[in-house]
Amino acid sequence: MAADTPTGYIKHHLTNLTYGKVPEGTPVCDAHGDLTGETIQQASWILARCDEQVDAMGFMAFHVDSLAWSGLMGAIFVLVASMVARRAHAGVPAGMLNFVEMVVEFVDTSVRDSFHGKSKLIAPLAMTIFCWIFIMSSIKLLPVDTASAIAAALGLGYMKIVPTVDPNITLAMSFSVLGLVIAFSIMSKGVGGFFGELAFHPFEAQGITKFLLVPVNLTLEVVALLAKPVSLGLRLFGNMFAGEFVFILLAAMMGYWQFVGSVPWAIFHLLVIPLQSFIFMILTIVYLSMASEQH
Amino acid sequence: MNMNATFIGQIIWFAIFVWFCMKFVWPPISAALDERKQKISDGLSAADRANRDLELAQEKAGEDLREAKAKAAEIIEQANRRANQVIEDAKGQARTEGERLIAQAQSEIEREVNSAREQLRSEVALLALAGAEKVLASEVNPAAHKQMLDQLAAEL
């Protein structure tokens, strides 16, 4: 893997540490990511060292770095928040309690503004989404080479620490939201109501025409339904990827002088990160509120 | 940028964290916030009540003060009246006592004068008798002229 050319450098920084099952016949790579010309004799689970191996893994592969960092950041969030919550009291709040309460109130206000039903799930869901995405995306304010340098010292070929720069992560979250949207729809309108909404809207008619329009309606509604999570996940991914890409470009072009560009860009990202976290949260609330409302 | 099983892994993470947040983070904080809201509204209404109580107490205190002032004025007036009466009584008593003393003194004086007059009268009679005796040199018989001498003494 040629990390010394700008292209190689960028490619290296945008590659996840992947653990997956390679079938037999997959080419073997050495520690630098270069092909050795040999092939793997037996299907096995390995950490990929080059693109060829990643390609060979197909779907049965995990981005270890994304999952580890997102898990770590999520764990930090829930542990800190639950520790604070355990000591929550009705007296005068101080320190962390003050901060966590501020977040809770902020999320609660957002939920109350958009979601008019009653649900025990939606407020904690929104809070988790907001805080988790915020923390995950904030890792990218670390200088881009920090993580890969540490990973290289530990003998790992790749390390992409910002989970939200991985579309798997953002789309997984947005499709989880889709699952909740479907669940909320079915809970509030019943299975028939939910499918009726998909099949008999937006073109409405009476009698036999109603059923003739089903294919058209179904196509439109399913696309509309799927567009929500896809846009939700890709919006976050796109913003975070673009931000990260500029950091990597600056590092690739300017070396140690990268801070000239990356500091202002990081300051700008101090606005982008909360904004994107907020958008993801608020759209989740809006989608769920639309799902639970009667038409 | 390839999609793979990371997707499933992240869904599991997501479910775990949302569940955890729903179970251990949101309820206690939300409960604490509600409790605090309740406490604050209780405190505010208690403060309102206290203000009202204070107003009532001030009103009552003012009324009590006015009442006490009125009572004090009444008492002072009564005392003044009583003092005047006492003075008047004392004056009257003193006057009657004085009059009594004066009357007594006058009657004493009168008695003294009378007794002195009696004494003088008898002495004058004796003196006159003695003088006359000397003048008349036993020509006058006291027994024969007693009536005349007594008449003389009574005229004194």
Side-chain angles (χ1 to χ4, degrees):
Chain A
M1 183 83 210
D4 25 301
T5 65
T7 319
Y9 179 85
I10 291 167
K11 206 160 182 301
H12 180 255
H13 274 80
L14 289 177
T15 307
N16 285 102
L17 179 66
T18 312
Y19 181 74
K21 191 182 185 186
V22 285
E24 54 175 294
T26 310
V28 174
C29 312
D30 62 16
H32 302 289
D34 296 321
L35 294 178
T36 57
E38 297 163 35
T39 57
I40 290 166
Q41 299 302 314
Q42 207 177 347
S44 56
W45 287 86
I46 57 162
L47 273 172
R49 283 174 167 172
C50 54
D51 286 351
E52 287 78 3
Q53 287 182 339
V54 174
D55 290 342
M57 284 171 186
F59 187 77
M60 282 316 290
F62 293 97
H63 290 159
V64 181
D65 45 4
S66 293
L67 280 177
W69 283 99
S70 80
L72 183 64
M73 296 304 131
I76 287 175
F77 158 64
V78 291
L79 289 182
V80 169
S82 64
M83 263 162 61
V84 171
R86 218 167 31 146
R87 282 177 290 138
H89 51 81
V92 178
M96 273 308 276
L97 181 58
N98 224 339
F99 175 71
V100 174
E101 277 182 7
M102 199 181 74
V103 175
V104 166
E105 292 239 304
F106 164 70
V107 172
D108 202 38
T109 315
S110 306
V111 170
R112 269 176 224 277
D113 284 348
S114 311
F115 188 81
H116 304 297
K118 273 200 168 187
S119 168
K120 274 186 185 159
L121 171 68
I122 189 144
L125 172 77
M127 184 181 176
T128 309
I129 286 176
F130 179 73
C131 295
W132 194 18
I133 291 179
F134 184 84
I135 301 172
M136 283 197 290
S137 307
S138 297
I139 319 175
K140 79 164 161 194
L141 297 171
L142 287 173
V144 281
D145 278 317
T146 321
S148 13
I150 294 170
L154 293 174
L156 298 168
Y158 302 101
M159 180 55 68
K160 200 169 106 182
I161 53 168
V162 190
T164 44
V165 175
D166 185 346
N168 283 298
I169 299 294
T170 61
L171 287 172
M173 294 177 80
S174 61
F175 274 90
S176 306
V177 171
L178 173 71
L180 288 173
V181 164
I182 293 172
F184 269 58
S185 292
I186 289 176
M187 275 200 304
S188 73
K189 290 171 279 229
V191 181
F194 173 63
F195 283 106
E197 206 166 66
L198 286 184
F200 304 125
H201 289 94
F203 299 115
E204 291 174 33
Q206 295 301 319
I208 191 77
T209 350
K210 184 176 178 182
F211 293 95
L212 287 177
L213 283 170
V214 164
V216 183
N217 282 334
L218 209 54
T219 316
L220 285 170
E221 283 294 319
V222 168
V223 167
L225 189 68
L226 288 177
K228 287 173 187 171
V230 170
S231 67
L232 191 61
L234 286 184
R235 177 186 302 109
L236 178 63
F237 163 69
N239 275 285
M240 293 306 135
F241 181 80
E244 181 73 358
F245 199 79
V246 171
F247 281 125
I248 296 171
L249 269 181
L250 286 165
M253 290 190 309
M254 299 163 87
Y256 287 110
W257 287 96
Q258 61 178 283
F259 66 88
V260 175
S262 62
V263 168
W265 188 243
I267 292 168
F268 175 61
H269 262 266
L270 287 178
L271 297 174
V272 173
I273 292 166
L275 180 68
Q276 289 303 322
S277 318
F278 177 70
I279 290 174
F280 201 110
M281 176 189 84
I282 220 72
L283 284 178
T284 302
I285 299 169
V286 168
Y287 291 156
L288 289 177
S289 109
M290 277 160 64
S292 54
E293 268 164 20
Q294 303 281 346
H295 283 270
Chain B
M1 232 148 294
N2 28 22
M3 300 299 295
N4 54 33
T6 313
F7 186 82
I8 293 162
Q10 177 69 5
I11 288 177
I12 295 167
W13 273 144
F14 190 58
I16 291 172
F17 291 140
V18 170
W19 174 80
F20 198 91
C21 186
M22 194 170 87
K23 204 82 184 164
F24 300 109
V25 176
W26 193 268
I29 293 183
S30 169
L33 285 176
D34 285 350
E35 201 186 325
R36 184 173 315 137
K37 217 174 278 174
Q38 187 60 41
K39 256 173 119 175
I40 289 172
S41 80
D42 284 356
L44 286 176
S45 63
D48 274 356
R49 230 182 3 255
N51 264 338
R52 248 197 332 276
D53 284 357
L54 179 66
E55 245 167 63
L56 283 178
Q58 272 171 345
E59 216 166 277
K60 183 154 165 40
E63 205 169 298
D64 282 357
L65 195 63
R66 265 199 310 284
E67 209 170 294
K69 269 182 184 165
K71 212 166 201 173
E74 195 184 317
I75 288 170
I76 288 171
E77 202 192 333
Q78 209 171 346
N80 278 339
R81 260 208 317 274
R82 177 109 185 82
N84 285 339
Q85 197 183 340
V86 166
I87 289 169
E88 288 302 317
D89 283 1
K91 270 183 185 167
Q93 226 166 346
R95 196 175 295 127
T96 49
E97 181 72 16
E99 275 164 8
R100 196 177 58 82
L101 282 178
I102 289 167
Q104 202 177 345
Q106 267 173 351
S107 68
E108 187 90 0
I109 289 166
E110 217 160 296
R111 212 177 53 239
E112 286 293 320
V113 167
N114 283 346
S115 79
R117 196 178 281 162
E118 285 299 322
Q119 212 173 338
L120 214 55
R121 194 181 289 154
S122 58
E123 274 177 28
V124 163
L126 283 180
L127 273 176
L129 202 58
E133 217 171 285
K134 282 212 170 104
V135 171
L136 297 174
S138 72
E139 279 185 29
V140 176
N141 187 353
H145 300 96
K146 192 178 182 299
Q147 194 184 354
M148 187 192 69
L149 287 173
D150 281 346
Q151 208 176 335
L152 191 70
E155 275 167 22
L156 276 170

